[in-house]
Amino acid sequence: MKKISIYSIALGLAALLFIVIIGMVIMGHIDQAGPFILGFFALLAFGFNGYEKMKGLIFTTMIFAGVTAALYFPDYFTQIGDFKFTALIIPLIQIIMFGMGTTMSIKDFAAIFQSPKGVVIGVSAQLVVMPLMGYFLAQISNFPPEIAAGIVLIGCSPSGVASNVMAFLAKANVALSITITSIATLLAPFLTPLMMKLFAGEFIEIDVLTMMWSIIKMIILPIGAGLLFNKLFGNNTKWLGRAMPLISMLAIGLIITIITAAGRDSLLEIGGTLMLLVLMHNIFGYLLGYWYAKLFRMSERDARTIAIEVGMQNGGLASGIANSLGKIATMGLAPAVFGPLMNITGSILASYWHRKPTPDPPKPIVVN
């Protein structure tokens, strides 16, 4: 009871800070509201920790705190001396991918043969829906070419590990979710550069082979190292399986914060419009992914899975690609905005589906 009261007090203080922030915005003092917004998100995250249904929003809340810090105090997240923090982005992605590899084994891919229809439909939905939506939104955005290319980039990226968590919360097919994420991620080094050449070639110059090698270094090599590590030491490193999700979340949060600081000026100029377009991209991913699956008569659980896999992209990987091209402050903006938004919408959708159980499979007929 004592803990609940502490969490309730934190939420109450967050509400008070929210009122103060609104007042400062109305009075035209938003440039001085940074510390108050940071305090609001910190109290909100702490308060959410006391309520089981709200715990899924803690990560997103902390990301918003990081974004706020980057917008108001960018100098702390751009460089120290001659060292630029953007140099951390690719190593952080490699850590995330290594963690993904440690949770996998060759046996996991047996699911492809056990349920090939779901995997093929899920991966093909990603390859069709999100790149086309990204291209359409980039065309209507009127953004500078490199920023528009970032919208296409997020559409050409595979789904991320966050989709697996949301599939679990939504009572979807978690095994299918993990398999689709794994296959889409392993195909990314070859398909993402080709799709970027096709859909973003008119915005920026795309060197397909250079991009392929960059993604191989970010995905294939660390995942392969993780698979090998799991094969050699898997039984003795259960602690790593528990630690990697937390490490991955911290890495994603740090990546988004660094990108926000690097592209602060552009983000302040076009942030509202970019947020709207990215939100449309995300929501249409859910809708079209769901009905794409239904078109092929997939079950409700599998349709939910594919909807989440299509709507939730790997923003970290997209950021790493933008960084490898030297365009983190422009091309990296859409992935930076997409990450926090997809976690919010994904949490809301997963909570809705969690309360709406899927039909039970028909029971077998027993003949006496």
Side-chain angles (χ1 to χ4, degrees):
M1 193 69 182
K2 184 178 179 181
K3 286 185 178 180
I4 295 296
S5 65
I6 292 173
Y7 298 131
S8 299
I9 290 170
L11 291 176
L13 291 173
L16 288 175
L17 279 180
F18 183 74
I19 294 171
V20 171
I21 293 165
I22 295 297
M24 294 182 76
V25 171
I26 293 173
M27 295 171 63
H29 298 307
I30 190 172
D31 56 323
Q32 302 171 18
F36 297 95
I37 299 174
L38 273 173
F40 166 72
F41 283 124
L43 287 168
L44 208 60
F46 180 77
F48 285 163
N49 194 49
Y51 300 90
E52 196 63 34
K53 291 183 178 180
M54 308 301 290
K55 285 185 177 180
L57 294 174
I58 294 175
F59 173 55
T60 303
T61 306
M62 294 310 296
I63 286 181
F64 274 108
V67 169
T68 301
L71 288 174
Y72 278 94
F73 312 105
D75 293 343
Y76 293 104
F77 304 99
T78 50
Q79 65 183 77
I80 294 180
D82 295 330
F83 178 76
K84 293 184 178 181
F85 288 135
T86 51
L88 295 173
I89 292 175
I90 291 178
L92 287 170
I93 293 168
Q94 289 171 327
I95 290 171
I96 294 170
M97 291 299 141
F98 174 80
M100 183 176 177
T102 62
T103 64
M104 298 163 57
S105 69
I106 302 301
K107 293 179 181 178
D108 293 330
F109 296 100
I112 302 172
F113 303 101
Q114 295 170 357
S115 180
K117 179 181 177 182
V119 176
V120 171
I121 291 173
V123 173
S124 65
Q126 283 195 348
L127 299 178
V128 173
V129 173
M130 294 303 272
L132 288 175
M133 277 300 302
Y135 176 74
F136 170 74
L137 293 171
Q139 286 286 351
I140 67 172
S141 69
N142 291 321
F143 287 156
E146 290 185 2
I147 296 177
I151 300 176
V152 180
L153 177 60
I154 196 68
C156 295
S157 299
S159 53
V161 292
S163 63
N164 307 149
V165 178
M166 296 306 170
F168 172 75
L169 296 175
K171 294 185 176 179
N173 188 336
V174 179
L176 177 61
S177 174
I178 293 172
T179 305
I180 292 173
T181 298
S182 303
I183 298 302
T185 300
L186 292 174
L187 289 174
F190 314 103
L191 295 183
T192 296
L194 294 174
M195 290 191 294
M196 283 296 291
K197 183 71 173 179
L198 176 64
F199 294 113
E202 65 185 85
F203 299 111
I204 60 170
E205 184 178 348
I206 301 293
D207 187 327
V208 173
L209 293 178
T210 300
M211 186 179 287
M212 279 185 180
W213 176 236
S214 296
I215 304 176
I216 286 171
K217 288 188 291 184
M218 283 187 283
I219 290 181
I220 301 297
L221 297 183
I223 285 182
L227 280 166
L228 182 61
F229 186 90
N230 187 32
K231 176 71 174 177
L232 297 175
F233 309 107
N235 294 331
N236 301 316
T237 56
K238 292 182 179 179
W239 60 271
L240 187 63
R242 295 190 294 268
M244 281 312 302
L246 178 60
I247 294 172
S248 296
M249 287 191 292
L250 290 173
I252 291 169
L254 186 55
I255 289 169
I256 291 173
T257 301
I258 292 171
I259 296 168
T260 303
R264 175 183 180 272
D265 294 340
S266 296
L267 195 57
L268 290 176
E269 183 179 346
I270 63 166
T273 305
L274 181 61
M275 190 176 295
L276 177 61
L277 291 176
V278 166
L279 184 62
M280 289 172 60
H281 201 179
N282 174 226
I283 291 175
F284 273 102
Y286 295 138
L287 288 172
L288 296 177
Y290 180 86
W291 289 110
Y292 184 92
K294 284 296 187 180
L295 180 67
F296 290 96
R297 298 183 179 180
M298 300 295 289
S299 68
E300 176 66 19
R301 289 181 71 239
D302 289 350
R304 292 182 183 185
T305 304
I306 292 170
I308 292 170
E309 286 295 310
V310 173
M312 301 189 73
Q313 303 293 84
N314 193 334
L317 174 61
S319 302
I321 295 172
N323 186 61
S324 69
L325 298 174
K327 304 179 187 301
I328 193 63
T330 51
M331 197 172 172
L333 288 180
V337 174
F338 193 93
L341 283 179
M342 79 169 187
N343 279 291
I344 292 176
T345 59
S347 298
I348 293 171
L349 182 60
S351 297
Y352 169 74
W353 272 336
H354 184 81
R355 296 191 299 269
K356 192 175 180 182
T358 57
D360 293 325
K363 295 181 180 179
I365 299 173
V366 179
V367 180
N368 294 323

